[in-house]
């Protein structure tokens, strides 16, 4: 069965060294994730692609204990829904990225803890392929 | 500065669940109550602004009120919709286009957390597919970080929710009218850590309306005009921690609420120390805690002590959400901010009944906040 990324251009895949793909403003060095065409700080349209750092520190987090109503959630829903944790990971000097966290126990999550990018299964698409997405795990 | 705009009438259709009544029906009921409160007729109204999320055309209410041909502007601005309706109505009077008009808000939501297409919020589709496009998760994350940074306990969150349910018990217009203990609140289902089910408000149904006039004409209608000293709306700036953000920059700045609040104090020439009764956006108990500081009522972290001492109760120094707030009233988006105004007007008139704040309050304050980082603040005074 094939593994397909959640969206094209979001992270390098397949890869032994996967990176989130952001963008950087050529004029003011503002970094965004995902990549976008215009700079949210200086409003110029001179963004260039930038692979982001793999490691960072947890900045804020919570848990998602009920199935997100937003259509369509790509993970298992209904009875098969599994609660997950989500947080912002600060990639030093670049950007804070909102991502799923592999640790879901509130007792084990702490702001400032070091985390590393991983690519993980999220669910299946209509062709039966495994959708993979980005997440961070403690390291 | 002399006040330019006065509120002379307020009306509410109760908040809750009302089978058989449409959003427009409830809007018309709220308008009739506001007109009666002001002692004016629909045919006297020169313009209106209507706010709603579910009702495409709030101005359709003219079919129920009378086809008088007035200027009627519809607005939608997320959870700050009612603040935008009020601000536009006040601007219309200040500009001199009209002397007497009204702001009305109405909504009829299905139960459960709000959902939408992420692309309509300038978010990519994958953000929803990943399960991130949900407002409650943002509120969980923001208060979780705030508690760590400023020493706020889980018990404080429960105290805030318990207070708002208690205030709902003595508000005949509220949706939730049953007191809940702090234990019940803490032990209800965890939705987004540290926020439990009973710490959140629910989308529901309801309507509210406010009649406004040029300040110098207020004496024609009432002996107790309530002056609208400021009504501001602001959106997020780069670096603010806001709902529906797939990423945030490294640089940090204050949120839209702080910007709207500072602008309102400056316009009104009134400071937080002058405010006697307060309505804050309590989408969840954590939001009320954070908004106390964001609106200038205390330094970050002092909420822990203030709430434990009962400072935010009806009889306290900083009475907050005296009608039960969103937690007891639910959130019909278009109407929610005008419910806040309805409560403040009654508090300043001294007609809030069992909920009346003692000591003849003279200055009231309201704040709204919602997706995707929009806030509205109003300051009212006798």
């Amino acid at each position: 069965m094939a593994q397909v990324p959640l969206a094209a251009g979001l992270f390098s895949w397949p890869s032994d060294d996967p990176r989130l793909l952001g963008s950087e403003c050529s004029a003011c060095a503002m970094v965004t994730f995902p990549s976008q065409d215009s700079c949210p700080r200086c409003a110029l349209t001179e963004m260039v692609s930038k692979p982001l750092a793999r490691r960072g520190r947890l900045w804020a987090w919570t848990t998602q204990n009920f199935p997100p109503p937003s259509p369509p959630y790509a993970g298992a829903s209904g009875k098969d829904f599994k609660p997950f944790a989500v947080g912002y990971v600060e990639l030093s000097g670049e950007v804070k990225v909102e991502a799923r966290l592999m640790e879901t126990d509130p007792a084990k999550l702490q702001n400032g803890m070091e985390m590393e990018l991983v690519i993980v299964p999220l669910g299946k698409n209509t062709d039966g392929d495994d959708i993979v997405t980005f997440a961070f795990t403690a390291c | 500065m002399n006040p330019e705009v006065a509120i002379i009438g307020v009306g509410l259709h109760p908040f809750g669940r009302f089978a058989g009544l449409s959003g427009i029906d409830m809007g018309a009921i709220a308008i009739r109550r506001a007109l009666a409160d002001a002692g004016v007729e629909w045919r006297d109204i020169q313009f209106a602004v209507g706010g709603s999320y579910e009702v495409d055309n709030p101005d359709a209410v003219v079919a129920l009120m009378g086809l008088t041909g007035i200027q009627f502007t519809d607005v939608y601005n997320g959870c700050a919709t009612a603040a935008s309706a009020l601000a536009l109505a006040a601007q219309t009077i200040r500009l001199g286009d009209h002397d007497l008009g009204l702001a009305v808000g109405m909504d009829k939501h299905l139960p459960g957390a709000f959902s939408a297409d992420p692309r309509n919020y300038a978010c990519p589709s994958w953000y929803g597919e990943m399960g991130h496009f949900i407002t409650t998760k943002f509120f969980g994350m923001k208060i979780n970080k705030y508690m760590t940074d400023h020493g706020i306990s889980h018990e404080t969150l429960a105290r805030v929710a318990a207070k708002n349910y208690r205030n709902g018990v003595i508000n005949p217009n509220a949706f939730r009218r049953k007191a809940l203990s702090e234990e019940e609140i803490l032990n209800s289902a965890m939705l987004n850590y540290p926020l439990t089910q009973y710490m959140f408000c629910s989308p529901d149904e309801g309507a509210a309306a406010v009649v406004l006039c040029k300040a110098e004409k207020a004496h024609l209608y009432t002996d107790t005009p309530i002056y609208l000293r400021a009504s501001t709306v602001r959106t997020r700036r780069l670096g603010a921690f806001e709902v529906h953000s797939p990423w945030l920059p490294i640089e940090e700045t204050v949120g839209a609420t702080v910007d709207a609040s500072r602008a309102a104090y400056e316009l009104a020439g009134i400071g937080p120390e002058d405010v006697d009764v307060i309505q804050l956006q309590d989408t969840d108990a954590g939001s009320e805690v954070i908004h106390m500081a964001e609106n200038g009522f205390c330094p970050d972290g002092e909420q822990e002590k203030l709430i434990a001492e009962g400072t935010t109760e009806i009889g306290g120094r900083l009475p907050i959400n005296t009608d039960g707030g969103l937690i007891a009233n639910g959130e019909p988006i278009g109407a929610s901010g005008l419910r806040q105004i309805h409560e403040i007007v009654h508090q300043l008139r001294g007609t809030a009944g069992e909920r009346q704040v003692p000591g003849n309050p003279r200055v009231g304050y309201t704040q709204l906040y919602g997706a995707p980082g929009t806030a509205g603040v109003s300051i009212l005074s006798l």
Side-chain angles (χ1 to χ4, degrees):
Chain A
M1 230 165 351
Q3 283 192 332
V4 295
L6 178 63
L10 208 51
F11 47 87
S12 50
W13 189 257
S15 168
D16 294 334
D17 179 30
R19 301 294 190 102
L20 294 175
L21 302 174
S23 60
E24 183 169 19
C25 177
S26 310
C28 81
M30 178 81 201
V31 179
T32 76
F33 173 78
S35 66
Q36 59 182 65
D37 296 333
S38 70
C39 174
R41 183 159 60 203
C42 71
L44 295 179
T45 52
E46 295 167 17
M47 306 297 284
V48 293
S49 176
K50 180 181 174 73
L52 302 179
R54 289 198 59 181
R55 285 190 173 205
R57 288 187 183 277
L58 188 60
W59 183 77
W61 61 273
T62 186
T63 58
Q64 181 61 43
N65 294 41
F66 62 98
S70 173
Y73 173 53
S77 55
K79 290 194 312 291
D80 298 327
F81 172 76
K82 286 196 180 65
F84 57 89
V86 54
Y88 286 90
V89 177
E90 180 165 348
L91 309 178
S92 181
E94 294 182 343
V95 67
K96 300 178 194 115
V97 173
E98 188 176 21
R100 180 170 291 222
L101 306 176
M102 298 313 291
E103 180 56 69
T104 59
D105 179 359
K108 294 179 182 167
L109 286 164
Q110 202 172 7
N111 292 345
M113 67 194 288
E114 201 168 349
M115 308 207 93
E116 183 175 38
L117 178 71
V118 286
I119 304 299
V120 297
L122 176 63
K124 286 192 185 300
N125 67 15
T126 47
D127 298 332
D129 299 324
D130 285 319
I131 301 169
V132 292
T133 191
F134 61 96
F136 280 82
T137 191
C139 63
Chain B
M1 198 174 72
N2 286 331
E4 296 171 281
V5 177
I7 293 172
I8 56 168
V10 289
L12 198 76
H13 181 281
F15 284 19
R17 295 259 164 237
F18 306 95
L21 275 182
S22 70
I24 290 279
D25 291 334
M26 291 186 270
I29 291 167
I31 290 173
R32 288 193 190 285
R33 289 177 182 166
L35 294 173
D37 186 47
V40 300
E41 302 287 337
W42 173 250
R43 61 175 177 269
D44 301 326
I45 295 294
Q46 298 161 355
F47 77 98
V49 185
S52 186
Y53 175 61
E54 309 283 357
V55 178
D56 290 342
N57 293 84
D59 66 291
V61 77
V62 298
L64 303 177
M65 297 306 305
L67 302 173
T68 54
I70 58 166
Q71 167 186 316
F72 202 129
T73 308
D74 297 331
V75 298
Y76 170 67
N77 208 2
C79 297
T81 293
S84 292
L86 189 70
L88 278 175
Q91 284 164 17
T92 303
I93 291 170
R94 278 207 307 275
L95 284 169
D97 285 358
H98 297 290
D99 291 342
L100 181 67
L102 68 82
V104 58
M106 59 194 83
D107 253 313
K108 190 176 178 79
H109 304 295
L110 294 170
F114 290 114
S115 81
D117 185 333
R119 288 171 296 183
N120 292 338
Y121 284 76
C123 284
S125 284
W126 61 257
Y127 190 65
E129 291 160 17
M130 227 164 132
H132 287 181
F133 188 75
I134 179 161
T135 55
T136 61
K137 170 216 67 179
F138 163 78
F139 292 113
M141 217 169 339
K142 187 169 179 184
I143 188 61
N144 197 25
K145 177 170 171 56
Y146 193 88
M147 288 164 76
T148 306
D149 291 350
H150 301 292
I152 304 293
S153 65
H154 293 257
E155 288 69 27
T156 290
L157 301 184
R159 284 190 189 107
V160 167
K163 168 193 58 96
N164 290 353
Y165 288 118
R166 263 200 313 282
N167 291 349
V169 172
I170 51 173
N171 176 6
N173 293 314
F175 179 28
R176 312 265 184 220
R177 302 201 57 206
K178 181 171 166 255
L180 287 174
S181 71
E182 288 159 27
E183 262 187 352
E184 285 172 293
I185 292 161
L186 283 168
N187 293 331
S188 62
M190 184 62 72
L191 297 187
N192 299 97
Y193 185 92
L195 298 173
T196 65
Q197 183 181 353
Y198 295 151
M199 292 179 188
F200 275 107
C201 80
S202 319
D204 63 345
E205 308 172 14
V210 173
V211 180
L212 305 101
C213 77
K214 195 172 176 177
E216 61 209 46
K217 294 199 171 173
H219 67 277
L220 299 176
Y221 306 103
T222 178
D223 295 333
T224 54
I226 304 300
Y227 297 106
L228 184 61
R229 311 299 293 245
S231 196
T232 59
V233 174
R234 290 290 185 275
T235 55
R236 68 199 187 281
R237 287 185 290 133
L238 184 68
F241 182 20
E242 306 283 358
V243 67
H244 297 327
S245 301
W247 65 282
L248 295 167
I250 299 296
E251 63 200 69
E252 292 173 25
T253 190
V254 295
T257 289
V258 177
D259 289 336
S261 176
R262 287 176 183 166
Y265 284 130
E266 191 177 331
L267 272 173
I270 283 172
E273 65 283 358
D274 304 318
V275 175
D276 302 311
V277 56
I278 302 160
Q279 289 273 339
L280 300 178
Q281 173 91 18
D282 55 329
T283 309
D284 59 279
S287 291
E288 182 169 316
V289 171
I290 294 170
H291 289 153
M292 287 172 66
E294 288 192 343
N295 291 283
F297 296 113
C298 67
D300 287 320
E302 200 177 295
Q303 298 97 326
E304 183 72 10
K305 180 169 171 282
L306 293 176
I307 290 164
E309 291 173 353
T311 311
T312 61
E313 303 279 344
I314 286 172
R317 179 174 61 82
L318 293 170
I320 295 175
N321 293 333
T322 48
D323 64 348
L326 280 78
I327 286 178
N329 287 279
E331 187 184 25
I333 284 181
S336 192
L338 296 178
R339 168 192 56 78
Q340 295 182 324
I341 299 290
H342 177 273
E343 176 69 5
I344 294 291
V345 165
H346 278 293
Q347 290 286 351
L348 300 187
R349 285 177 181 167
T351 53
E354 265 191 276
R355 304 188 310 281
Q356 183 63 48
V357 165
N360 304 315
R362 298 189 55 82
V363 177
Y365 185 99
T366 71
Q367 175 247 349
L368 294 173
Y369 171 82
T374 307
V377 167
S378 296
I379 299 177
L380 296 81
S381 79
L382 278 175

